[in-house]
């Protein structure tokens, strides 16, 4: 998805997935990618990078505050449909899931 939707190189996409042991992307990569794509007039890619950064740093922030799960990028595949998603419901589910995890006695 990184190669297809954010137009990063295959080597960079492989390095991202290896570094975070799965389908995550660094928020710093997205933040740095946004102005580069704007300057290159890749508007759709820039919007996807910006929205993924926004989702990862606000709505779906995790304890690391350094990366976001790639599942949200798939939701931004077709930007014309993303306005019809129930983002509030998804955010509440995410928050309750994290609250459930945080309330366990084994969680630091």
């Amino acid at each position: 998805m990184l190669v297809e939707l954010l137009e990063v190189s295959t080597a960079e996409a492989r390095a991202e997935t290896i570094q975070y042991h799965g389908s995550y992307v660094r928020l710093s990569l997205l933040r740095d990618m946004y102005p580069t794509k704007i300057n290159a007039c890749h508007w759709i890619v820039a919007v996807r990078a910006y929205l993924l950064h926004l989702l990862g740093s606000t709505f779906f922030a995790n304890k690391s505050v350094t990366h976001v799960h790639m599942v949200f990028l798939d939701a931004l595949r077709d930007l014309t449909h993303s306005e019809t998603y129930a983002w509030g419901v998804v955010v509440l589910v995410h928050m309750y899931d994290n609250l459930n995890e945080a309330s366990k006695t084994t969680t630091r």
Side-chain angles (χ1 to χ4, degrees):
M1 279 194 294
L2 281 173
V3 174
E4 177 188 353
L5 299 177
L6 294 181
E7 298 177 359
V8 299
S9 67
T10 306
E12 191 175 13
R14 188 172 293 119
E16 281 292 315
T17 56
I18 289 171
Q19 181 178 1
Y20 286 110
H21 307 289
S23 54
Y24 295 94
V25 63
R26 287 177 293 136
L27 292 173
S28 61
L29 174 73
L30 296 170
R31 188 176 51 246
D32 296 340
M33 180 186 299
Y34 177 70
T36 306
K37 297 301 180 181
I38 288 290
N39 291 336
C41 295
H42 295 148
W43 306 114
I44 299 298
V45 177
V47 168
R48 281 188 191 122
Y50 177 78
L51 289 175
L52 187 59
H53 184 274
L54 179 70
L55 291 173
S57 62
T58 56
F59 295 147
F60 304 110
N62 54 26
K63 291 188 292 187
S64 73
V65 193
T66 60
H67 60 275
V68 61
H69 201 281
M70 293 296 298
V71 72
F72 304 116
L73 180 59
D74 194 37
L76 300 173
R77 181 180 297 273
D78 185 6
L79 294 174
T80 60
H81 285 76
S82 62
E83 70 181 19
T84 63
Y85 298 155
W87 289 107
V89 173
V90 177
V91 169
L92 283 174
V93 168
H94 178 75
M95 288 173 54
Y96 280 123
D97 187 43
N98 284 333
L99 181 62
N100 180 39
E101 184 69 28
S103 64
K104 294 179 181 175
T105 57
T106 57
T107 300
R108 291 193 207 193

